[in-house]
Amino acid sequence: MARSRANDYDDKRQAILNRSAELFSAHGYDRASMNKIAEACGVSKANLYHYYKDKEGLLFDVIRFHLEELLEVVEAADNPAAAPETRLRGLIAALLEAYRDADSQHNVQISSMRFLPAERQAELKGMERDLVRIFSAAVAGATPHLKGTKMLTPVTMSLFGMVNWHYLWFKSTGSVSRDEYAEIVTRLISDGARSLLKPSPKTSKRTAAAE
């Protein structure tokens, strides 16, 4: 007879995932053994195996649950009917808020996905692409001159560069709040992209001279 799950199975599994994410982030996935994971989680190795048969499964779920939460939050915040910059700012603010207290999971996503088999990486990267598609549509709305051009993807990924790495310097007690940083990023994207695809002054002068 299969062993039944305890009522608190999901809560205990989530606690294991959270502690594993902290361990992987602080010391590296490749240096974490199941013994170390069990010790960090405060459970026996046998109990850990009740939830995960190996650390690959742990790593996959740490990243998968993190991406699922990000997608859920971003999809709920997306409002295509809003003014373009309002929509973009709302998405950025929602993503920054979703990253609150998730530094370890985010760091593991960035640094350790490469340790997973190709098929598992493909599933997770598909979720990442879903996030990029949502933001790309919002960026295109705020910068309509980039829609359909080769510059839309670099600008969208630059947005993720600003947001995804903010955990390295951002402090909740600092001079800028998450909400204020969402406004900064929105301005940098919408205002900064206005001159893209326009010839630079030097290029214009050379063209005029050649004519």
Side-chain angles (χ1 to χ4, degrees):
M1 179 181 294
R3 181 178 176 182
S4 61
R5 288 186 173 182
N7 293 333
D8 61 350
Y9 178 90
D10 289 339
D11 290 339
K12 287 184 176 179
R13 180 182 64 174
Q14 189 59 56
I16 288 172
L17 289 174
N18 291 343
R19 189 67 189 96
S20 297
E22 293 171 359
L23 185 67
F24 296 159
S25 178
H27 302 289
Y29 168 78
D30 53 333
R31 291 189 291 276
S33 65
M34 290 297 275
N35 281 331
K36 289 182 178 179
I37 295 168
E39 182 180 353
C41 293
V43 299
S44 67
K45 190 174 180 181
N47 189 246
L48 179 61
Y49 279 122
H50 175 58
Y51 294 89
Y52 288 97
K53 66 178 183 179
D54 54 38
K55 68 174 187 174
E56 179 189 302
L58 265 167
L59 175 61
F60 178 72
D61 271 2
V62 164
I63 301 174
R64 178 172 67 90
F65 287 176
H66 177 56
L67 287 172
E68 285 178 351
E69 182 176 358
L70 296 184
L71 274 170
E72 182 179 341
V73 168
V74 166
E75 287 172 348
D78 191 18
N79 182 11
E85 289 188 12
T86 300
R87 178 191 183 189
L88 180 60
R89 188 184 185 286
L91 287 174
I92 295 170
L95 187 60
L96 285 170
E97 186 60 35
Y99 282 153
R100 185 190 296 271
D101 300 324
D103 287 354
S104 295
Q105 289 83 349
H106 183 57
N107 186 33
V108 171
Q109 175 200 344
I110 293 172
S111 65
S112 300
M113 188 188 297
R114 61 192 174 90
F115 291 109
L116 290 169
E119 64 274 11
R120 284 192 149 180
Q121 287 191 46
E123 181 177 343
L124 298 175
K125 289 177 180 178
M127 298 168 73
E128 290 179 334
R129 285 192 293 272
D130 289 339
L131 275 171
V132 171
R133 275 194 290 270
I134 294 170
F135 275 87
S136 182
V139 170
T143 58
H145 63 294
L146 299 185
K147 189 174 182 179
T149 74
K150 66 179 182 179
M151 298 303 297
L152 181 59
T153 295
V155 170
T156 301
M157 298 315 295
S158 294
L159 183 157
F160 279 103
M162 286 186 278
V163 174
N164 285 354
W165 294 96
H166 85 287
Y167 76 99
L168 293 176
W169 61 266
F170 182 86
K171 289 180 172 48
S172 58
T173 57
S175 59
V176 176
S177 68
R178 290 176 188 273
D179 200 50
E180 289 170 332
Y181 186 55
E183 178 64 20
I184 290 172
V185 175
T186 302
R187 294 268 60 82
L188 286 172
I189 293 297
S190 60
D191 294 350
R194 284 176 184 166
S195 63
L196 291 176
L197 301 181
K198 295 180 181 178
S200 67
K202 289 183 179 180
T203 301
S204 299
K205 289 179 181 179
R206 284 198 298 269
T207 302
E211 292 175 350

